[in-house]
Amino acid sequence: MTLIDRILLALAGLLVLCGLGAAIYIEHERANAAEQQVLTLTASLAASKAALDAYTASAQKAAKTAATNQTKVNNALQAHPDWTSTSVPDDVWDSLYGNRPSKASGVVTAPVRGASAPG
């Protein structure tokens, strides 16, 4: 083997090593980027889960309050059946619902889902 062949062989080997080093570096950078993305998505998932848990708790509390209020209204109407056939005077309605951020419409709704509203 001549000196030129040895030099060319050494240069080819050096070129292969540089190529392998570059490939390793690129894959390392990709792995770091993927790891950072996993951390970001994990934090986002934790925040979304916390928000969902808070919403679920709030919705359950609101449903419980609504059920309690509906029971109270039903009991009051059963105790005073003459009130079920009369309309609420405007000044009483305004005193009950007039100061709310979105005023009540006064439209009678069905007390049971799927049932028709009276009259």
Side-chain angles (χ1 to χ4, degrees):
M1 226 172 169
T2 65
L3 182 62
I4 292 180
D5 289 339
R6 287 182 184 177
I7 292 174
L8 288 177
L9 186 60
L11 287 175
L14 187 59
L15 187 61
V16 167
L17 285 177
C18 287
L20 288 174
I24 291 172
Y25 176 77
I26 289 170
E27 288 303 314
H28 176 70
E29 290 299 315
R30 283 186 186 173
N32 284 344
E35 184 178 351
Q36 187 61 37
Q37 187 177 16
V38 166
L39 292 175
T40 301
L41 291 174
T42 302
S44 177
L45 177 63
S48 295
K49 184 172 178 354
L52 178 62
D53 291 345
Y55 172 78
T56 302
S58 176
Q60 288 173 348
K61 183 178 178 182
K64 184 177 179 180
T65 301
T68 301
N69 290 345
Q70 186 63 47
T71 301
K72 287 180 181 180
V73 168
N74 289 341
N75 291 342
L77 289 175
Q78 287 175 359
H80 305 284
D82 52 328
W83 273 50
T84 60
S85 61
T86 61
S87 61
V88 177
D90 289 339
D91 57 342
V92 173
W93 186 269
D94 287 339
S95 71
L96 292 172
Y97 300 106
N99 63 349
R100 293 191 178 185
S102 60
K103 289 187 177 182
S105 65
V107 175
V108 178
T109 59
V112 179
R113 289 185 183 170
S116 302

